[in-house]
Amino acid sequence: MEYDKTKYKIWTWNNPVMLHWIINPGLAINELLLGQRVPKTMLIEKGSLKSLQERTKIPCPHCGTLHSGLKWSTSNNAFKNWFGLYCDNCGKTIPCLTNFTSLLLLGLTFPIWILFKDKWKRNWLLKQPDRYKNLDLENVPNPFEGYGWVRQGLYWGFFMYVFMTVIFPLIDDEGITLGKTLIGIPFWIIGGLGFGYTMKLINGKSKPKTQTN
Ligand SMILES: [Zn+2]
């Protein structure tokens, strides 16, 4: 599909934000457990002072609708999008990127899920229209605004800590060690704050250009 390049910046896999989604192994959790997905193409409105979230448009390649990115903000349908982003105009799904670690995990566990995939997808599709009926696209809070990034970052850090130091070693047979449990605390606090601050920068309102004269 062709998009109006004078109006939009076009983000595909080679944009840094999109590449980060593909490369960061931690995001496999967001994808596989939470069902958070990033579409393969995003359009970012140019020359607007609104936040990135508000400037993002997500095109449906099947029917051409330009959806507001706010449909998939955390107060709307950010999660449970395991099979892609549902287009409430044509009922098809908008193709998404796949995180590299997710891809590996899906490849390794393929004999388990392949039998159920079609049934799961059918059930998932049936549930979608209802999820898009009463979306509020006007009052969407930015969870990273002000000092929100600290809280969001610490949530994420805590989640990663539990996953990486407790759940993962149990699966991996490595066992939980006191050393790792202690080192994990400062590691994921710093990691979490880094994540929160990056999200604040990404989601923030763009500053008006300062005039030079
Ligand atoms: Zn569509």
Side-chain angles (χ1 to χ4, degrees):
M1 262 174 87
E2 286 294 314
Y3 305 108
D4 187 348
K5 286 185 181 149
T6 55
K7 237 174 126 184
Y8 300 108
K9 268 187 278 182
I10 299 164
W11 284 13
T12 53
W13 68 271
N14 55 8
N15 171 277
V17 175
M18 308 287 251
L19 267 181
H20 173 249
W21 186 268
I22 298 172
I23 293 165
N24 185 339
L27 294 171
I29 297 169
N30 297 53
E31 251 186 28
L32 298 179
L33 291 186
L34 306 177
Q36 193 176 14
R37 303 298 303 273
V38 171
K40 284 188 175 163
T41 308
M42 295 207 274
L43 309 180
I44 315 293
E45 243 170 68
K46 284 182 182 172
S48 154
L49 300 180
K50 290 180 284 187
S51 75
L52 182 67
Q53 211 172 217
E54 291 162 315
R55 283 183 289 140
T56 304
K57 297 272 177 281
I58 297 174
C60 172
H62 308 290
C63 67
T65 304
L66 287 188
H67 294 280
S68 160
L70 297 172
K71 284 188 181 175
W72 295 282
S73 62
T74 41
S75 57
N76 286 319
N77 289 330
F79 305 111
K80 302 185 183 176
N81 303 312
W82 291 285
F83 297 96
L85 302 181
Y86 177 77
C87 171
D88 58 344
N89 184 52
C90 70
K92 293 186 179 157
T93 46
I94 299 167
C96 292
L97 299 173
T98 308
N99 172 271
F100 189 65
T101 307
S102 301
L103 202 64
L104 271 178
L105 290 172
L106 287 173
L108 291 172
T109 54
F110 148 87
I112 304 169
W113 54 259
I114 191 70
L115 297 169
F116 307 102
K117 188 191 161 227
D118 289 346
K119 190 172 167 237
W120 283 340
K121 184 165 183 182
R122 266 201 309 277
N123 288 339
W124 176 86
L125 267 174
L126 285 175
K127 286 184 195 149
Q128 298 315 302
D130 277 348
R131 296 179 70 208
Y132 289 81
K133 271 183 190 153
N134 298 306
L135 295 183
D136 182 358
L137 303 181
E138 297 301 319
N139 308 299
V140 176
N142 177 358
F144 297 95
E145 217 160 66
Y147 282 101
W149 65 271
V150 174
R151 196 169 44 152
Q152 293 299 320
L154 291 178
Y155 278 154
W156 186 84
F158 176 72
F159 188 69
M160 291 301 291
Y161 173 73
V162 172
F163 192 83
M164 299 304 285
T165 54
V166 183
I167 300 175
F168 202 68
L170 287 179
I171 301 170
D172 202 36
D173 267 356
E174 265 181 51
I176 302 164
T177 62
L178 182 65
K180 273 194 228 163
T181 319
L182 291 177
I183 293 169
I185 296 171
F187 183 82
W188 286 112
I189 288 179
I190 296 167
L193 291 176
F195 170 79
Y197 195 68
T198 314
M199 291 305 288
K200 178 189 164 76
L201 293 182
I202 292 174
N203 271 309
K205 296 191 191 303
S206 51
K207 292 194 181 69
K209 282 195 185 102
T210 43
Q211 282 187 332
T212 45
N213 49 12

